């Protein structure tokens, strides 16, 4: 009986979560001229490709997706490498007050991101980092480090101490121990951290609309925001079609690497 109730709750919850996605897909196929202002529950036209073309032409969504791909791949990769090095130092190396170092890095996941906007904007404007791709990449990589560090540090604590003692007896230094022993063992955790941070960077709009204005700099979500502000006359179906296409990379990433997402949830629990 309890199992049946649990399954029913899971199915109902899944359906509730799927309803907005279903409405997004259905209404993205509606021609902009046929949209009445009320969401349709059934397809009334097949203008999806036309809507996508208008979104790409009006707000440079395609350019934004390319920018997001650069930021998400390079930013997440840099963050994971830095997090792996920091985790190795905090967990394995005999540094003083490792708990203090842990909290000094991890606190970046606790503070609200909005509090960084004003100082970042002022600093970027003063150092010519504003509205540049490397400026965006820098902030995304920096903000992705704390959570990646949390995942990597949790995994490093599970590596048996005897392994590093054996490596030390064989004459391995800290760098060799990190590269040859801990890094291969932590590959799954690194992939999981990369996937999480890739998804976060790809879906970010806050820093995209604050630290960039040019089409060749702004990420995909900032480009989509233009469709509902400066270019609001395109109509909701165009916005929905652009949003659907822009969300495809993270959806595909989740399904391809689903087992790493599941494993990462165990690592962070």
């Amino acid at each position: 009986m309890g199992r049946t109730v649990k399954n029913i709750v899971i199915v109902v919850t899944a359906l509730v979560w799927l309803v907005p996605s279903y409405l997004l897909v259905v209404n993205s196929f509606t021609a902009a001229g046929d949209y009445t202002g009320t969401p349709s529950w059934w397809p009334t036209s097949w203008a999806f490709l036309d809507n996508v073309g208008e979104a790409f032409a009006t707000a440079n969504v395609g350019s934004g997706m390319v920018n997001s791909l650069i930021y998400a791949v390079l930013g997440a990769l840099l963050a994971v490498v830095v997090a792996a090095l920091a985790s190795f130092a905090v967990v394995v190396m005999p540094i003083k007050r490792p708990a203090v170092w842990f909290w000094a890095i991890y606190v970046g996941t606790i503070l609200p991101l909005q509090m960084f906007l004003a100082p970042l904007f002022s600093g970027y404007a003063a150092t010519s980092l504003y509205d540049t791709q490397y400026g965006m990449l820098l902030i995304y990589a920096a903000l992705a480090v704390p959570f990646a560090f949390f995942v990597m540090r949790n995994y490093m604590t599970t590596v048996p101490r005897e392994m590093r003692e054996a490596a030390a007896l064989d004459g391995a230094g800290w760098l060799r121990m990190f590269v040859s022993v801990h890094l291969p063992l932590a590959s799954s955790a690194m992939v999981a951290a990369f996937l999480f941070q890739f998804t976060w960077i790809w879906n970010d709009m806050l820093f995209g609309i604050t630290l960039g204005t040019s089409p060749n700099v702004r990420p995909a979500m900032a480009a989509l925001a233009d469709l509902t502000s400066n270019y609001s006359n395109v109509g909701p179906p165009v916005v929905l079609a652009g949003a659907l296409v822009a969300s495809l990379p993270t959806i595909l990433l989740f399904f391809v690497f689903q087992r790493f997402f599941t494993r990462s949830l165990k690592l962070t629990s």
Side-chain angles (χ1 to χ4, degrees):
M1 182 66 180
R3 186 180 182 85
T4 302
V5 173
K6 180 181 178 180
N7 291 336
I8 293 174
V9 170
I10 292 175
V11 171
V12 172
T13 303
L15 291 175
V16 170
W17 277 98
L18 286 173
V19 166
S21 300
Y22 171 78
L23 290 175
L24 185 152
V25 173
V26 169
N27 288 274
S28 67
F29 279 82
T30 304
D34 297 338
Y35 189 74
T36 62
T38 302
S40 301
W41 286 90
W42 305 105
T44 57
S45 55
W46 303 95
F48 177 76
L49 294 179
D50 294 334
N51 293 336
V52 171
E54 187 170 356
F56 274 57
T58 304
N60 296 297
V61 174
S63 178
M65 291 181 66
V66 173
N67 294 332
S68 288
L69 184 63
I70 295 172
Y71 303 148
V73 172
L74 295 182
L77 185 61
L78 287 171
V80 169
V81 172
V82 172
L85 290 167
S87 301
F88 180 80
V90 170
V91 176
V92 180
M93 297 178 68
I95 63 171
K96 295 182 179 179
R97 299 181 179 87
V100 174
W101 285 106
F102 167 76
W103 284 107
I105 300 174
Y106 180 66
V107 73
T109 63
I110 300 174
L111 300 175
L113 297 179
Q114 289 81 355
M115 69 180 296
F116 300 128
L117 293 180
L120 275 174
F121 182 84
S122 300
Y124 269 44
T127 57
S128 301
L129 287 172
Y130 181 76
D131 198 27
T132 61
Q133 286 187 326
Y134 53 86
M136 296 295 297
L137 179 60
L138 178 64
I139 187 59
Y140 281 135
L143 291 174
V145 167
F147 183 79
F149 169 74
F150 176 69
V151 175
M152 294 301 302
R153 182 259 181 190
N154 280 5
Y155 184 83
M156 290 285 186
T157 57
T158 65
V159 177
R161 184 176 180 178
E162 291 78 11
M163 296 192 67
R164 61 175 178 264
E165 291 177 349
L169 288 174
D170 290 338
W174 293 118
L175 181 60
R176 180 65 181 276
M177 195 181 302
F178 172 74
V179 173
S180 301
V181 179
H182 288 77
L183 206 58
L185 291 174
S187 59
S188 296
M190 294 180 70
V191 172
F194 174 85
L195 294 176
F196 268 111
Q197 299 314 92
F198 179 99
T199 303
W200 174 78
I201 294 173
W202 184 276
N203 291 329
D204 173 72
M205 184 178 68
L206 180 63
F207 294 98
I209 63 177
T210 304
L211 302 178
T213 57
S214 303
N216 64 327
V217 174
R218 303 191 86 179
M221 297 306 155
L224 286 174
D226 285 341
L227 289 174
T228 58
S229 55
N230 297 337
Y231 304 100
S232 58
N233 60 332
V234 297
V238 176
V239 179
L240 295 176
L244 182 60
V245 172
S247 65
L248 287 179
T250 53
I251 295 174
L252 293 175
L253 195 72
F254 172 79
F255 282 109
V256 172
F257 297 100
Q258 187 176 7
R259 65 188 182 93
F260 288 104
F261 275 100
T262 304
R263 187 176 302 176
S264 63
L265 293 176
K266 296 178 181 178
L267 291 172
T268 56
S269 62

